[in-house]
């Protein structure tokens, strides 16, 4: 019945206490500013320095752009809601937010997997690296990441849109995501939740396993150098694994869950929506000497 269809969603946020809301606003504002400034600095540095023309820098520039888009899907809305106290979002706006959240988020996962393949090729197959990671191949890999992210997110959005919404409209979170929205539907959503868990959860788990496998192969390749005291490859891999873990483990914990399971804490979502994009420019810049030197020159 069209007259009983939900037209807006209430996002309850992280806290109802005014003092905690001020603290949350300050932390989100600082984190969002760091995401914007850090990633914009990397983009400008890579685009203006002709020395940074390697495939790694090419992918790093795209990763920074994705991080800005990913955080911008949720952070401005959170900051506006904390300032105004208005927690409602139109149903169409809610679906749009979850679409772009999964579009950009899954594209970032695919891109991180491509970057791991780039590092594996550079270290394990150095003689063939230039031929494998040619400029056209790099563009094709980036385009494949965006196409894969679009296919993943459009499936999620279509699964939400085919459900009837006529009852409760409050979500215990600060942004719209597929599982909280689906659980508001006036229908049996067990099958839909399983489909969504299989989609988002398996994408997160699959990319994470590929990343871990690539780092394991890299470490196996450079193990002889580690025994001679050359610890830089281990240090670099360890820092990258830390950033990858901050993104993938909370996503796997959130999405790879059976239907009817208790929803994960909304504070866990802060890790992969805000904290991980803030750490990416720090880790990937500080672990690359040429990028770090170009940043300081700029």
């Amino acid at each position: 019945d069209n007259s009983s269809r939900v037209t807006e969603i209430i996002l309850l946020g992280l806290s109802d206490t005014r003092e905690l809301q001020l603290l949350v606003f300050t932390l989100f504002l600082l984190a969002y500013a760091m995401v914007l400034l850090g990633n914009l600095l990397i983009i400008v540095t890579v685009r203006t320095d002709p020395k940074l023309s390697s495939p790694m820098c090419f992918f790093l520039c795209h990763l920074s752009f994705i991080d800005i888009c990913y955080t911008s899907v949720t952070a401005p809305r959170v900051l506006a809601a904390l300032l105004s106290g208005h927690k409602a979002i139109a149903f169409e706006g809610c679906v749009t937010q979850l679409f772009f959240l999964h579009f950009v988020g899954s594209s970032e996962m695919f891109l991180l997997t491509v970057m791991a393949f780039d590092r594996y090729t550079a270290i394990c197959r150095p003689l063939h690296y230039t031929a494998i990671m040619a400029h056209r191949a790099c563009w094709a890999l980036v385009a494949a990441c965006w196409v894969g992210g679009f296919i993943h997110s459009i499936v999620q959005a279509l699964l939400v849109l085919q459900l009837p919404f006529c009852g409760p409209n409050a979500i215990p979170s600060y942004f719209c995501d597929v599982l909280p929205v689906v659980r508001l539907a006036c229908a049996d959503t067990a099958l839909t939740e399983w489909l969504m868990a299989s989609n988002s959860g398996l994408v997160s788990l699959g990319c994470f396993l590929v990343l871990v496998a690539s780092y394991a192969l890299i470490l196996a390749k450079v193990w002889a150098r580690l025994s001679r005291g050359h610890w830089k490859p281990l240090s670099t891999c360890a820092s990258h694994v830390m950033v990858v873990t901050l993104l993938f483990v909370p996503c796997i914990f959130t999405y790879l869950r059976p239907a009817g399971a208790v929803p994960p804490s909304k504070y866990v979502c802060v890790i992969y929506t805000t904290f991980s994009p803030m750490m990416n420019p720090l880790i990937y810049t500080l672990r690359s000497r040429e990028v770090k030197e170009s940043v300081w020159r700029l």
Side-chain angles (χ1 to χ4, degrees), residues 46 106-107 137 158:
V46 173
S106 56
S107 298
L158 291 176

Side-chain angles (χ1 to χ4, degrees), residues 132-240:
I132 295 174
M133 302 305 295
H135 188 66
R136 182 175 297 180
C138 292
W139 274 109
L141 288 171
V142 170
C145 293
W146 284 107
V147 171
F150 177 80
I151 294 173
H152 163 76
S153 59
I154 197 66
V155 170
Q156 302 287 76
L158 291 176
L159 286 173
V160 171
L161 290 174
Q162 55 89 28
L163 294 172
F165 293 89
C166 54
N169 66 337
I171 293 177
S173 185
Y174 60 94
F175 66 96
C176 291
D177 203 357
V178 286
L179 290 178
V181 173
V182 164
R183 286 170 178 161
L184 299 178
C186 307
D188 184 9
T189 61
L191 178 60
T192 304
E193 290 185 32
W194 273 109
L195 291 174
M196 289 183 169
S198 300
N199 190 350
S200 298
L202 290 180
V203 166
S204 304
L205 181 62
C207 291
F208 181 67
L209 292 178
V210 171
L211 283 162
V212 171
S214 69
Y215 286 120
L217 292 173
I218 290 173
L219 291 177
K221 181 71 175 180
V222 302
W223 185 256
R225 278 186 275 172
L226 294 179
S227 62
R228 293 195 298 267
H230 297 279
W231 295 98
K232 184 178 179 180
L234 179 61
S235 175
T236 302
C237 286
S239 61
H240 290 179

